[in-house]
């Protein structure tokens, strides 16, 4: 599928002058992460290894069955989506770039990501059997009273 999608990127230089550069993508199978890499390679900045895009167009293009670029910084979770998920073509989008660091927390022992919120601390007390018990096992009638009058 061929299309003509333009990304106009606004940026500032060392003199704080606002400048822009236009990128044209003819292939809808281009991923957003590839676009970000191309932009970062054109405007590298020391101390940063990633670029975030902030959508600043005057209008939001919405198409049936497609994602849309909303105002604000484009979420990183959507970086692997393709342009075909957003448009069928021939549109112009305006973005401002923000430099950032894309760091991944890695466990060095087995080289995988870890989430510390699921690790239980050893000093946590386990509930006793008495705390878990919801009813008195010795008196069945008090736990399960009859529902109506018996004749």
């Amino acid at each position: 599928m061929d299309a003509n999608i333009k990304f106009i990127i606004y940026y500032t230089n060392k003199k704080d002058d606002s400048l822009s550069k236009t990128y044209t993508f003819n292939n809808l199978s281009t991923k957003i992460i590839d676009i970000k890499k191309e932009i970062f390679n054109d405007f590298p900045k020391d101390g940063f290894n990633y670029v975030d895009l902030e959508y600043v167009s005057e209008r939001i293009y919405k198409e049936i069955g497609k994602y849309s670029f909303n105002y604000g910084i484009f979420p990183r979770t959507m970086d692997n989506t393709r342009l075909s998920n957003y448009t069928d073509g021939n549109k112009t989008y305006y973005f401002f770039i923000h430099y950032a660091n894309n760091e991944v927390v890695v466990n060095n022992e087995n080289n995988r990501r870890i989430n510390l919120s699921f690790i239980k601390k050893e000093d946590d007390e386990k509930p006793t059997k008495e705390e878990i018990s919801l009813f008195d096992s010795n008196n069945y009638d008090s736990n399960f009273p009859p529902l109506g009058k018996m004749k």
Side-chain angles (χ1 to χ4, degrees):
M1 224 185 248
D2 288 339
N4 189 11
I5 301 170
K6 291 183 183 179
F7 275 39
I8 298 178
I9 305 298
Y10 294 103
Y11 63 97
T12 56
N13 61 9
K14 293 181 181 179
K15 299 176 186 177
D16 288 334
D17 295 333
S18 291
L19 305 170
S20 66
K21 182 173 181 180
T22 302
Y23 293 88
T24 303
F25 302 99
N26 296 322
N27 190 356
L28 286 176
S29 64
T30 305
K31 290 186 176 183
I32 300 294
I33 190 71
D34 297 331
I35 295 170
K36 287 183 174 184
K37 286 177 184 177
E38 184 177 341
I39 293 169
F40 185 78
N41 290 337
D42 288 348
F43 307 107
K45 193 166 187 178
D46 293 336
F48 298 101
N49 61 1
Y50 191 77
V51 65
D52 281 324
L53 298 176
E54 180 182 2
Y55 186 70
V56 293
S57 292
E58 293 179 5
R59 88 181 266 228
I60 296 175
Y61 297 108
K62 293 186 179 185
E63 297 181 26
I64 295 175
K66 303 283 184 184
Y67 295 133
S68 62
F69 290 109
N70 292 321
Y71 294 118
I73 294 180
F74 185 76
R76 293 183 183 183
T77 55
M78 302 295 281
D79 279 354
N80 287 321
T81 57
R82 300 183 186 280
L83 286 177
S84 61
N85 294 350
Y86 295 93
T87 184
D88 289 330
N90 299 331
K91 299 238 180 348
T92 302
Y93 298 100
Y94 299 88
F95 291 95
F96 187 80
I97 58 173
H98 296 278
Y99 292 98
N101 284 322
N102 194 13
E103 298 178 7
V104 176
V105 177
V106 175
N107 183 359
N108 292 332
E109 295 174 5
N110 47 12
N111 204 18
R112 62 184 179 123
R113 295 181 190 187
I114 58 172
N115 186 350
L116 298 177
S117 65
F118 293 108
I119 298 175
K120 295 190 177 189
K121 298 177 184 174
E122 294 197 22
D123 59 351
D124 289 345
E125 294 182 14
K126 295 181 180 178
T128 62
K129 189 173 183 179
E130 295 160 356
E131 293 173 0
I132 295 174
S133 178
L134 299 176
F135 60 91
D136 183 12
S137 61
N138 296 329
N139 190 354
Y140 184 82
D141 290 332
S142 67
N143 293 322
F144 300 102
L147 298 177
K149 292 183 180 180
M150 302 221 11
K151 294 184 181 180

